[in-house]
Amino acid sequence: MKILVAVKRVIDYNVKVRVKADQSDVDLANVKMALNPFCEIAVEEAVRLKEKGIADEVVVVSIGPKAVQEQLRTALALGADRAIQVETDDMPDSLAVAKILKGVVEKEEPQLVILGKQAIDSDNNQTGQMLGALTGMPQGTFASKIDMADGSVNVTREVDGGLQTVKLQLPAIVTTDLRLNEPRYASLPNIMKAKRKPLDVTTADELGVNVARTVKLLKVEPPAERSAGVKVADVAELVDKLKNEAKVL
Amino acid sequence: MSILVIAEHDNKELSPATLKTLAAAQAIGGDIDVLVAGEGCQAVAEEVAKAEGVSKVRLADNAVYGHFLAENLGTLVAELAKDYGHILAPATTTGKNFMPRVAALLDVAQVSDIIAVESADTFKRPIYAGNAIATVQSEDAIKVITVRATAFDAVAAEGGNAAIEAVDTVIDNDKSEFVGEELAESERPDLTAARVVISGGRGMQNGENFHLLEKVADKLGAAVGASRAAVDAGFVPNDMQVGQTGKIVAPELYIAVGISGAIQHLAGMKDSKVIVAINKDEEAPIFQVADYGLVADLFDVLPELEQAL
């Protein structure tokens, strides 16, 4: 079985973002970039399925400028077999990404596509579901457990009230939640080996996808600052302040 | 142009998130229809019909929609969507699951998790774990939107008198099926709707110690939440997690106990009206957003707090 994993290059999750002075966007110049944490979990799950002998090939794909090759190499170092970069001038929106991924799915014909549940930059939580709609595949979103069976997959999903399990016919799409697994670190020998693994470059044009956006970004602002609070000395003072000053008790 | 709101419910009761989504729909302006899709959900439709500002309730009551599976619910909504200018659903796990399918089937972008309506085509939404607020304008003919419920005040649940009309479209689903669920049982208020939330982090040390929070919560009528560290350590189940990847809450009072205040946790609670931090590390980032901070050992503070209330 072949597994396709989509990965995204995003700002490192530990970096505190700054909004540009002209409010056009956040400032990404000279900021540390990394593999989106949910995508790391997706790669890890695919590699584990390969280690169990369930998958025989793990293909990773990323969409964007040449810089995304760095994240593809990271995924290769974690255990993916080969990589595909779909070159675009900048990062397209979720719908365009889903259309591009549909093109890749049609070419590669994977039995399972694994994506992260959301990217920590745009916080959209859309791409996996959109790919499901475009390909007609069923989806197991926010997965915390995956059990492969013959011709189907059982996915345990993190939902608002607890957990839900669904059975999906293959080929299917899974999006990862944080608790699906604990991703491994890439070892130095694996990082060296990853440099020799195949990485193909294609373009959105070759896949026949228009990446024009229909949602315009008008402005980006910092969130409202909270005014500085006070430290209280003990519980009695805390309860007094909550009752008489904040009036929330 | 009219608006279609997709109701969130459990086949028996309407979720409060729907009333808040209706408030967002009112801010956009236009006739508001509500789709209630599910199984044996006539009572939910009757409840929605009484909500303020609803023009019409469309009821798709069929076993195929019983578990809100995205594969066919998404297709149903996309078929109905063609008569509307806006499609809205709460940004709950259910809404997040099926709405992007609706958008893709309509070949439009989705605007996720809006926190404000600027005009019928312009919305505000948080990005980068709430560290920036984007104002976006959609040029799509049909705008598919999920709404952050905590950012809107619920419309009145009474006073309306909308007609209920049956939707007979049945979309079969042979791609996915519901196997089972494990729902966390709780007597306390729902985390996302509670007036007061008290949350514990890694500082709680173990799951047993959460009963200290529960005792305080019972005095306050509060819901109990947790940071990701507490969930990952196995102290409490994941549906209690507050943060970028868990639940977004905005109660009147949020009490963070033994939580350092990582960016990802703040994303889930920093719109609370009043924030209290109890932590023994006075350098903890949580103190930067807390209105009231108490630097002390939580194992001393929690019993005292319970006594004082």
Side-chain angles (χ1 to χ4, degrees), chain B residues 27-295:
Chain B
I28 291 167
D31 286 347
I32 302 170
D33 290 359
V34 179
L35 172 68
V36 177
E39 180 183 11
C41 53
Q42 175 76 28
V44 178
E46 286 165 14
E47 210 180 327
V48 177
K50 290 189 209 130
E52 177 194 336
V54 176
S55 305
K56 187 168 68 184
V57 178
R58 306 185 70 177
L59 174 61
D61 196 340
N62 192 296
V64 296
Y65 306 124
H67 295 287
F68 319 109
L69 295 172
E71 288 74 14
N72 57 341
L73 180 57
T75 307
L76 171 72
V77 175
E79 285 201 5
L80 299 177
K82 297 185 172 106
D83 302 330
Y84 296 90
H86 294 78
I87 314 297
L88 270 63
T92 55
T93 49
T94 308
K96 287 173 178 174
N97 191 35
F98 75 85
M99 282 292 265
R101 276 187 96 104
V102 173
L105 291 171
L106 296 170
D107 196 24
V108 300
Q110 172 179 297
V111 182
S112 291
D113 226 4
I114 64 163
I115 56 169
V117 174
E118 300 287 289
S119 71
D121 66 0
T122 305
F123 312 94
K124 286 191 185 234
R125 58 177 304 266
I127 52 176
Y128 294 89
N131 288 299
I133 307 297
T135 305
V136 296
Q137 184 175 34
S138 167
E139 292 168 347
D140 286 314
I142 303 176
K143 292 162 185 57
V144 174
I145 296 165
T146 60
V147 177
R148 177 169 293 188
T150 54
F152 294 88
D153 293 324
V155 302
E158 299 291 330
N161 185 22
I164 299 173
E165 176 188 279
V167 173
D168 297 326
T169 315
V170 177
I171 315 270
D172 287 320
N173 176 13
D174 56 4
K175 295 277 180 74
S176 70
E177 59 187 277
F178 172 83
V179 176
E181 63 192 354
E182 285 173 55
L183 299 182
E185 292 292 328
S186 175
E187 305 269 298
R188 294 197 180 77
D190 183 49
L191 197 51
T192 53
R195 200 186 69 83
V196 181
V197 173
I198 181 163
S199 289
R202 198 192 298 277
M204 297 304 295
Q205 295 181 5
N206 59 48
E208 299 257 294
N209 289 334
F210 265 72
H211 78 267
L212 296 170
L213 290 183
E214 287 163 7
K215 284 184 185 166
V216 177
D218 290 341
K219 289 258 172 118
L220 292 169
V224 179
S227 70
R228 184 185 163 197
V231 173
D232 280 353
F235 299 173
V236 289
N238 65 278
D239 57 295
M240 285 171 66
Q241 185 185 326
V242 172
Q244 183 183 19
T245 59
K247 297 206 169 88
I248 312 284
V249 302
E252 285 186 36
L253 174 60
Y254 187 88
I255 307 176
V257 184
I259 293 176
S260 65
I263 296 173
Q264 292 79 11
H265 185 74
L266 300 184
M269 46 62 80
K270 70 188 164 77
D271 293 322
S272 306
K273 190 165 158 245
V274 175
I275 297 173
V276 170
I278 299 168
N279 204 302
K280 62 181 177 188
D281 174 13
E282 63 179 320
E283 302 296 319
I286 192 77
F287 287 117
Q288 290 162 23
V289 300
D291 299 280
Y292 301 105
L294 178 53
V295 181

Side-chain angles (χ1 to χ4, degrees), chain A residues 124-143:
Chain A
N124 272 323
N125 195 333
Q126 300 174 351
T127 304
Q129 296 90 315
M130 287 180 159
L131 180 61
L134 298 178
T135 57
M137 287 187 200
Q139 65 188 43
T141 50
F142 328 139

